Amino acid sequence: QQLPPGAPWLLVSPCSSHALRNWRPERYAAVADHAISRGWRVALCGGRSALERATGDAITAAMNNAPTDLIGKDTLKQLLALLARASLVLSPDSGPAHMANAMGTKVLGLFACTDRERCGPYSDLSLSVDHYDEAARKFLGKPADQLRWGKRVEFPGVMDLISVEEVIALFERHLAGDLVPRPVQALP
């Protein structure tokens, strides 16, 4: 009922339980407005926390077009239905990103704090932005391949390494159908 058929839906799940993994609201808003300009509908989803409500409000305030606001309005089962119904989910490394992947929905993932190769949507990394190595070099002073497995690079500003332009470019490549699916490689 929340995502009626017709135009495709971009479901924005903007918050991780690790606040430093969250992208800036105005950046989500720019991507959402771009999707709307391409004929998509946009919905925001999230839990009932103050952070998720404030983030959703900030995204909506920065948008030129009002999204469907579902933050704090669903149950876990309803969230799974939303994720399955969406055409694409935009999210940082978070539970909803992985749940969307499990439901067979493409995820436009935002990775800088965590290693996309380890934490990305396991069935297809082609729609995920990856700035983990750049974050490791900038914030820890060494390349990602010198970090222990699973090391997080969670510092203020790390998600600012991800630009609106590159996320929109991935969205456009998705629309054009010119991304080759790339699943996570199995560990030796």
Side-chain angles (χ1 to χ4, degrees):
Q1 292 176 332
Q2 299 298 332
L3 305 181
W9 281 93
L10 173 64
L11 186 61
V12 179
S13 179
C15 292
S16 168
S17 59
H18 297 254
L20 294 172
R21 294 183 193 174
N22 298 340
W23 210 30
R24 293 187 184 275
E26 62 274 12
R27 293 182 181 199
Y28 282 116
V31 174
D33 276 333
H34 178 79
I36 291 169
S37 77
R38 300 286 278 138
W40 285 50
R41 290 183 270 185
V42 173
L44 306 178
C45 71
R48 293 171 176 85
S49 74
L51 172 65
E52 289 168 289
R53 180 70 272 151
T55 301
D57 290 344
I59 292 168
T60 300
M63 288 181 67
N64 296 322
N65 305 282
T68 299
D69 186 349
L70 303 174
I71 293 175
K73 298 177 183 175
D74 60 0
T75 65
L76 184 58
K77 285 183 181 179
Q78 290 168 334
L79 173 61
L80 288 171
L82 289 171
L83 295 167
R85 179 77 142 148
S87 306
L88 184 65
V89 172
L90 172 61
S91 181
D93 182 7
S94 66
H98 299 293
M99 292 169 17
N101 183 70
M103 298 303 292
T105 302
K106 296 283 187 187
V107 177
L108 204 168
L110 307 174
F111 292 86
C113 293
T114 56
D115 185 357
R116 177 189 73 173
E117 299 301 315
R118 176 181 177 267
C119 302
Y122 63 87
S123 64
D124 187 4
L125 297 176
S126 68
L127 265 173
S128 293
V129 176
D130 181 15
H131 283 278
Y132 182 67
D133 184 65
E134 182 182 358
R137 291 172 189 273
K138 180 174 181 175
F139 292 92
L140 299 175
K142 57 176 99 173
D145 64 5
Q146 291 182 11
L147 300 180
R148 68 175 167 72
W149 189 81
K151 174 71 176 162
R152 296 178 184 139
V153 185
E154 292 181 328
F155 293 92
V158 72
M159 292 298 283
D160 291 340
L161 296 172
I162 301 171
S163 73
V164 169
E165 294 76 19
E166 70 184 309
V167 176
I168 288 175
L170 269 179
F171 177 81
E172 286 297 317
R173 289 187 67 201
H174 172 68
L175 291 183
D178 69 351
L179 291 170
V180 177
R182 190 173 79 72
V184 171
Q185 299 297 313
L187 293 173

